[in-house]
Amino acid sequence: MSKEAAKIPDHRPNNGHKKIPLHDAIMSGLAVMHLKYPSLLRFDEDCKEKPDKLNNLKALYGVEQVPSDSHLRDMLDPIETRYFRKFFTSLFSYVQRSGRLKQFEYFEEGYLAPVDGTGHFASGSINCQECCVKKPDSKNPQYYHQLLGMCLVRPGKKEVLPLAPEPIIQQVDASKNDCEKTALKRLLENTSREHPHLKLVLNFDDLYSDGPTIRLVKSYNYSFIMVAKDSSHVSLYEAVDELDARDKVSRYEFTDEDGFKHWFRFVNGVSINKSHKDVLVNYLEYVSVSPKGKKYVNTWVTDIELTEESVAKVMRGGRAKWKIENETFNTLKTQGYNLEHNYGHGKEHLATNFANLTFTAFLIDQIEQLACPLFQKALAAKKSKTALWHAIRGLFDWFLIGSWSDLLKAIIEEKSICIKGLISDTS
Ligand SMILES: [Zn+2]
């Protein structure tokens, strides 16, 4: 990360000569998110009060000088958000090179990748040039920022791998607010450019299951699984019922070893709706009942061929959509990360840049959990992420840390006192 941060061009006159390097501001911002600091001010005060912190920041994040909280905001605000994409691509290629991407393989058609939007800022007064605005001409305009996220997931696997999120923000020369659907066009364009050989099965909610979106997804040769509610797919449901009356629709059911009953009703090659008759989808209706009688019902459309052999797999892929809602967005808002917290809004790109740094911190932690035995042992020792973040912050605050491995070993061995001096290992 430190190497990528150093490549981001300095926007200041004279390239920031004799000033705090932009690299140090970016890595300080990342440290705030990664160490789950509640505010920039607290970080700033801690750095001033506890000189060991500077040693620790240097050892763990490569930071030599820490700007004050307001200076940090001023330095991060003008950076064009696209420069942060490199964090995501370099972390992704690390996972790829290490061979661990294979752990996410699920469908032959490609990696399962849920896509969804979420808000990370809303205010009636604070705003910037990138804010979208509800009721702009009223007395009470509402300013907001959202983003469109995409993660690689695998059913049954805890970790998720987010790709660079696409900001849903005011676009230059746009006559109306940006939205999830237009952000999707940019997300797919950026993803296919940065990962030209990556095959994906995109997983969407009902908002996206229409002709134009399916055409867009297929134009990149991606596959899809999309929720298709009856209220928004009247003609699709009628067409399936019509086919059913002619015995063209298949049914399949089984009870699994945990006592859950699963029912499937499916048919391949139906038009998504009347206005896009040439957009054919495979329709999968699903009901499950738990041993305690709890019912789950959903319907998806997909381009993956549905057979008795494939329906359960497609259903599990469809249900993995919650991994972006719950295991990604909810985690980023409630589990120590502060995606919705206002660290400072700025005038240009600050709010979006902070959201990107939060996502980057989350991705680093996910990769540590996936790939680092020391992190896995430390997590097992602390039993929960919240307890682990607390332990990391505690050691960072009060001891001189030489490296991440020293810090994690101290947590595993519960001998924080063993961290005695700054050593040169900063791996
Ligand atoms: Zn804004």
Side-chain angles (χ1 to χ4, degrees), residues 33-36 157-160 162 326-328 330-332 334-337 361-372 375-394 408 411:
M33 306 306 166
H34 192 230
L35 293 166
K36 286 87 185 169
K157 188 160 188 58
K158 284 196 297 285
E159 297 84 9
V160 302
N326 196 318
E327 296 190 5
T328 308
N330 275 356
T331 302
L332 280 165
T334 60
Q335 303 289 311
Y337 306 91
F362 172 73
L363 176 56
I364 292 169
D365 290 336
Q366 291 291 302
I367 294 173
E368 291 272 293
Q369 190 177 325
L370 186 72
C372 171
F375 183 96
Q376 291 158 0
K377 279 186 194 166
L379 180 57
K382 285 290 149 195
K383 297 192 172 62
S384 78
K385 290 272 180 73
T386 315
L388 178 61
W389 306 150
H390 192 70
I392 290 175
R393 262 288 296 286
L408 292 170
I411 291 171

Side-chain angles (χ1 to χ4, degrees), residues 85 115 148-150 163-166 182-192:
R85 301 190 67 86
V115 176
L148 192 64
M150 183 199 287
L163 303 183
E166 188 60 45
T182 45
L184 179 67
K185 292 176 188 166
R186 303 192 298 273
L187 179 75
L188 297 189
E189 194 184 322
N190 286 327
T191 302
S192 75

Side-chain angles (χ1 to χ4, degrees), residues 330-374:
N330 275 356
T331 302
L332 280 165
K333 291 177 182 182
T334 60
Q335 303 289 311
Y337 306 91
N338 300 301
L339 184 64
E340 290 179 305
H341 179 70
N342 183 12
Y343 283 96
H345 200 72
K347 295 188 181 78
E348 296 176 80
H349 316 293
L350 188 65
T352 312
N353 291 347
F354 276 140
N356 265 262
L357 288 172
T358 310
F359 257 82
T360 306
F362 172 73
L363 176 56
I364 292 169
D365 290 336
Q366 291 291 302
I367 294 173
E368 291 272 293
Q369 190 177 325
L370 186 72
C372 171
L374 281 178

Side-chain angles (χ1 to χ4, degrees), residues 37 40-54 393 396-397:
Y37 261 91
L40 293 191
L41 182 63
R42 173 85 181 275
F43 179 74
D44 184 20
E45 285 170 354
D46 272 8
C47 289
K48 281 177 190 146
E49 283 168 19
K50 301 170 190 158
D52 280 358
K53 277 254 169 87
L54 289 179
R393 262 288 296 286
F396 180 85
D397 277 349

Side-chain angles (χ1 to χ4, degrees), residues 80-358:
E80 287 178 46
T81 303
R82 66 187 166 92
Y83 288 115
F84 292 94
R85 301 190 67 86
K86 271 284 185 187
F87 286 173
F88 293 87
T89 49
S90 67
L91 287 166
F92 189 85
S93 50
Y94 167 78
V95 178
Q96 215 161 15
R97 282 197 316 274
S98 73
R100 289 184 177 84
L101 194 60
K102 280 193 179 303
Q103 294 178 22
F104 288 84
E105 285 175 3
Y106 183 70
F107 284 116
E108 262 176 42
E109 290 81 357
Y111 293 96
L112 183 59
V115 176
D116 203 3
T118 193
H120 64 91
F121 171 80
S123 169
S125 56
I126 300 167
N127 65 86
C128 72
Q129 65 179 26
E130 289 192 334
C131 276
C132 291
V133 197
K134 271 179 215 155
K135 302 182 198 160
D137 301 322
S138 76
K139 274 185 186 170
N140 302 305
Q142 290 294 312
Y143 303 98
Y144 64 94
H145 284 235
Q146 296 172 323
L147 51 81
L148 192 64
M150 183 199 287
C151 292
L152 266 53
V153 306
R154 191 191 194 285
K157 188 160 188 58
K158 284 196 297 285
E159 297 84 9
V160 302
L161 291 178
L163 303 183
E166 188 60 45
I168 302 175
I169 49 175
Q170 192 58 46
Q171 298 296 301
V172 179
D173 298 333
S175 58
K176 55 183 182 181
N177 282 323
D178 196 18
C179 67
E180 288 192 30
K181 289 272 189 78
T182 45
L184 179 67
K185 292 176 188 166
R186 303 192 298 273
L187 179 75
L188 297 189
E189 194 184 322
N190 286 327
T191 302
S192 75
R193 187 187 63 251
E194 288 170 346
H195 306 282
H197 305 297
L198 193 66
K199 288 165 69 185
L200 297 171
V201 177
L202 301 174
N203 185 351
F204 295 95
D205 64 24
D206 184 69
L207 171 72
Y208 294 89
S209 48
D210 57 32
T213 307
I214 292 171
R215 278 202 187 116
L216 175 73
V217 166
K218 294 306 291 177
S219 74
Y220 288 99
N221 284 324
Y222 295 142
S223 284
F224 64 88
I225 302 173
M226 299 169 168
V227 171
K229 290 183 182 165
D230 54 354
S231 51
S232 44
H233 294 82
V234 175
S235 67
L236 172 71
Y237 277 64
E238 282 171 1
V240 171
D241 285 344
E242 221 168 86
L243 288 166
D244 205 2
R246 290 193 277 131
D247 274 344
K248 305 268 187 197
V249 174
S250 307
R251 284 174 170 75
Y252 175 62
E253 63 179 82
F254 70 94
T255 303
D256 67 25
E257 52 198 22
D258 299 318
F260 284 77
K261 290 193 169 107
H262 306 267
W263 285 274
F264 303 88
R265 180 173 173 252
F266 60 96
V267 58
N268 293 312
V270 197
S271 296
I272 185 73
N273 55 38
K274 281 182 182 158
S275 44
H276 296 92
K277 282 204 161 151
D278 58 325
V279 177
L280 299 179
V281 294
N282 306 329
Y283 171 99
L284 177 60
E285 197 179 306
Y286 170 70
V287 179
S288 81
V289 179
S290 77
K292 286 184 177 171
K294 198 175 172 197
K295 207 170 172 184
Y296 174 91
V297 183
N298 214 335
T299 300
W300 296 277
V301 292
T302 177
D303 59 345
I304 298 172
E305 194 187 357
L306 298 174
T307 62
E308 286 191 5
E309 287 70 42
S310 73
V311 284
K313 193 171 184 176
V314 171
M315 170 275 288
R316 289 188 75 208
R319 292 186 72 168
K321 169 81 174 48
W322 73 279
K323 281 179 170 289
I324 194 161
E325 293 157 11
N326 196 318
E327 296 190 5
T328 308
F329 294 153
N330 275 356
T331 302
L332 280 165
K333 291 177 182 182
T334 60
Q335 303 289 311
Y337 306 91
N338 300 301
L339 184 64
E340 290 179 305
H341 179 70
N342 183 12
Y343 283 96
H345 200 72
K347 295 188 181 78
E348 296 176 80
H349 316 293
L350 188 65
T352 312
N353 291 347
F354 276 140
N356 265 262
L357 288 172
T358 310

